[in-house]
Amino acid sequence: MSAAAKELGVTPSAVSQQVRKLEESLGVTLLERIGRRVELTSWGVLFHKEIAKGFGQLLHSVDVLERARSQTGIVLSALSSVVNKWIGRKVFEWQVIYPDANVKIIGRDEEPKMGDGSCDFRITYGKRVDVHAHFTALYTDWIVPACSPRLLAKRALNSPADILTFPLLNIEWEQHYLRPPQWSEWAQLVGAVCNEKLSGLFFALSSSAIDAAVNGHGFVLAQVSMIEDELNSGTLVAPYDIRLQLPESYYLAWDRAALEKPYGKEFHKWIISIARKQAIISAP
């Protein structure tokens, strides 16, 4: 009785009281008290044998759940361009901090269904985040004209308006997103007129337009968050740092159970922290 009380964190008298209540409920004597000793009666032996099966199954269930939490790791879904040009690059910083944490990143533009076990966290954009129960804003990005330095090797820029004389790469998002700033709006910002004949190439993904600019095919209105590495390496340059803000923010959504996974809370906190840094970098 003392050992049971110690394991349960109660007094021996509390254990005795619960046993008596159980005996009254069942209508049988489970424990036979002989002096200071306590032994199971035949009814107690039979009852213990059966309930031990149930407790064994409970312990097994807890073990299965714990192994599932530990083995599946963290699953992050994000928009394709965000995976290619932002979080897919930043995640190496996470790996340095938490080398034992497993993270799987999935690039998809359709919103996943949280709670079915296929996704723990989701980075999305704009009002589409409303389909999720738990979410928070990350950052609102800005765009800036950028191109390969090779494009400027034979032609000098004398003013921001000169950018509009080069081939212009356009990004046209799906209709459920608010339209991002276009070249005509940037031209208006610098007091110029956009030549529509030079802007006939459109991309559905920001990452594809950025890659085309890296390859020297023209200027792109690129998100600052997505060209950080290219600017640092010199594969892209931004001759004039004149920026326009996107109309909506990026968001982080999550399944509540994800925070109970190993490193789940840390991953949630980490994404929010790098997003705050990105907000500062992206703003003019």
Side-chain angles (χ1 to χ4, degrees):
M1 300 296 279
S2 298
K6 183 178 180 180
E7 183 174 341
L8 295 173
V10 298
T11 63
S13 60
V15 175
S16 299
Q17 185 178 4
Q18 291 300 318
V19 171
R20 283 196 296 270
K21 289 182 178 180
L22 180 59
E23 290 177 328
E24 292 173 2
S25 175
L26 296 173
V28 297
T29 301
L30 299 175
L31 295 177
E32 184 176 10
R33 297 159 181 83
I34 306 173
R36 299 185 62 180
R37 292 188 300 111
V38 179
E39 295 182 358
L40 287 172
T41 64
S42 58
W43 297 117
V45 171
L46 178 61
F47 189 60
H48 176 268
K49 180 180 178 182
E50 294 304 315
I51 63 172
K53 298 176 183 178
F55 281 109
Q57 183 59 46
L58 285 173
L59 290 173
H60 174 71
S61 300
V62 172
D63 183 58
V64 169
L65 178 62
E66 186 60 34
R67 282 189 283 110
R69 289 177 65 246
S70 300
Q71 293 175 2
T72 56
I74 296 170
V75 180
L76 169 67
S77 169
L79 297 168
S80 299
S81 291
V82 174
V83 169
N84 294 336
K85 299 298 183 182
W86 192 65
I87 194 62
R89 297 172 171 181
K90 298 290 186 182
V91 75
F92 295 102
E93 300 175 15
W94 159 268
Q95 193 175 38
V96 171
I97 302 171
Y98 299 99
D100 297 328
N102 296 322
V103 178
K104 179 180 180 180
I105 301 178
I106 301 173
R108 59 180 294 186
D109 295 328
E110 302 82 12
E111 294 303 309
K113 183 179 180 181
M114 295 291 187
D116 62 359
S118 62
C119 176
D120 298 312
F121 296 93
R122 167 72 174 174
I123 298 177
T124 190
Y125 178 82
K127 295 180 180 179
R128 296 194 75 183
V129 74
D130 289 339
V131 302
H132 304 296
H134 309 285
F135 60 86
T136 187
L138 289 178
Y139 65 95
T140 303
D141 213 354
W142 293 69
I143 59 172
V144 66
C147 73
S148 167
R150 290 179 293 158
L151 196 67
L152 303 177
K154 297 180 180 180
R155 292 177 60 181
L157 292 174
N158 297 314
S159 70
D162 289 345
I163 289 177
L164 302 171
T165 65
F166 285 79
L168 304 177
L169 306 173
N170 298 272
I171 302 170
E172 190 171 85
W173 293 352
E174 296 180 25
Q175 293 182 353
H176 47 253
Y177 298 118
L178 290 182
R179 181 175 175 267
Q182 303 296 309
W183 279 111
S184 58
E185 296 165 67
W186 190 85
Q188 185 178 6
L189 183 65
V190 298
V193 177
C194 179
N195 187 342
E196 299 295 337
K197 293 182 179 180
L198 296 177
S199 58
L201 190 58
F202 290 80
F203 294 86
L205 295 177
S206 300
S207 57
S208 299
I210 291 171
D211 289 340
V214 169
N215 290 324
H217 296 301
F219 269 89
V220 61
L221 283 175
Q223 294 182 49
V224 175
S225 68
M226 295 188 179
I227 60 171
E228 184 177 345
D229 286 359
E230 286 79 3
L231 291 176
N232 290 335
S233 65
T235 56
L236 284 180
V237 293
Y240 295 97
D241 192 359
I242 301 174
R243 307 183 187 189
L244 284 170
Q245 191 174 34
L246 292 184
E248 295 185 282
S249 298
Y250 284 98
Y251 289 85
L252 174 67
W254 62 90
D255 178 24
R256 186 170 57 183
L259 302 180
E260 299 175 0
K261 278 190 167 184
Y263 301 103
K265 291 181 180 179
E266 291 83 357
F267 191 71
H268 177 270
K269 183 178 180 181
W270 175 76
I271 290 183
I272 293 175
S273 69
I274 64 171
R276 289 173 179 169
K277 295 178 183 177
Q278 188 62 62
I280 297 173
I281 295 172
S282 293

